[in-house]
Amino acid sequence: MRVFRTVPALLLAAVMLCGCGEGTPPPEETAPAETAAAPAETAAPASETVTEAQAETEPVTEADPPVIYYITDHGTVDPSAISLAAEVLTGEDGIYLTGAAADVPEDAKAVILNAPQEDITSEELKALDVCIEGGCTVVLLLPANGEELRLKYIERLTEEFSVQTDYDLVTDETRTEGEGLISLDQIGPPEGMNAALFAASAQCMNNVRSFHFVRFDGFDNIRQDALLECTADSVGTPFGGVQDDPETFTDECLVTMLYARDVTRQNGALIAAGSSDFLLDVNAETAAYQGTRAWLLAAVQWMMQGNFY
């Protein structure tokens, strides 16, 4: 406002100086100055109008609604089977899309790979990498069918986050709860994660498989932690994954759910769980699955929000 009002004064001074230079007195009526002042008086509201218009358009510049993409090929669970979980992740404004792994949108905020029965391809891995570079979170859930798996390119995906996939089944009979479900130990929430989102106490999975954290050279950019683990005394027949994997463990801590993020890739992240049945709609009210289900959904929401320590 003040800037607009000083302009006429400067113009008036300039006119007067020019008049004095010619040796003639300035005219008694300063019509030019008054004429110049008129636009100045109307300029302030114009400036205010622009400010109001900018304020009105500010919501347009807000972040776009998050895109959640569910991969439907490679033998994954039908997306309609986890519709309740999808509603939680998308919220009121999110966009939920389904399709092939090769068609993952680059702007996806989260990609769900739910219990794949077969491996992705090298080209599909590249497509996922593009999303991760933009800060996407890949949610990997291993199938709970107890069958042998060989997922070369999915393993490469997890190894990008210093995580190795172990396909063995945790079968410690001392930790079973009803129908053979394995009880798990919940790790405290990372700083900044909303602990209220996983208030349920029971933590169980069916035919749960495990993962190992590894520290590859040059991977100081990775931040990772366990979310669920199981201090097991035994596992089933080893299916591979980790070299020289033993047939049995004695009091070995096995990671059954984890997160890892890459600070050099806009915090692109991996959330991996060693089973998938707990996420199904038919198990949404199963007491033993309540904690695990809420814990995974809270972790994904936390990753998508990006409020990291």
Side-chain angles (χ1 to χ4, degrees), residues 195-239:
L197 295 176
F198 59 98
S201 59
Q203 303 279 350
C204 292
M205 288 194 204
N206 176 38
N207 282 334
V208 59
R209 308 169 195 261
S210 61
F211 305 89
H212 286 72
F213 290 121
V214 292
R215 297 308 302 174
F216 297 122
D217 291 339
F219 275 64
D220 295 336
N221 53 311
I222 301 298
R223 307 289 183 270
Q224 57 187 197
D225 202 354
L227 298 175
L228 293 177
E229 63 185 16
C230 178
T231 305
D233 289 331
S234 63
V235 296
T237 303
F239 293 145

Side-chain angles (χ1 to χ4, degrees), residues 70 75-86 96 112 114-115 117 141-145 204 206 275-287 289-290 292-294 296-297:
Y70 188 98
T76 59
V77 175
D78 190 293
S80 63
I82 66 158
S83 61
L84 297 178
Y96 187 60
I112 302 174
N114 186 9
Q117 302 297 320
L141 300 103
L142 296 181
N145 56 17
C204 292
N206 176 38
S275 187
S276 59
D277 287 0
F278 65 90
L279 206 60
L280 298 174
D281 289 351
V282 295
N283 291 324
E285 302 300 326
T286 302
Y289 284 141
Q290 288 296 303
T292 308
R293 179 187 182 88
L296 177 84
L297 296 176

Side-chain angles (χ1 to χ4, degrees), residues 10-22:
L10 291 175
L11 289 175
L12 176 59
V15 171
M16 293 177 65
L17 287 175
C18 290
C20 290
E22 294 174 357

Side-chain angles (χ1 to χ4, degrees), residues 158-159 162-166 210-214 216 241-243:
T158 65
E159 288 172 357
S162 291
V163 172
Q164 287 185 329
T165 305
D166 184 1
S210 61
F211 305 89
H212 286 72
F213 290 121
V214 292
F216 297 122
V242 178
Q243 187 176 6

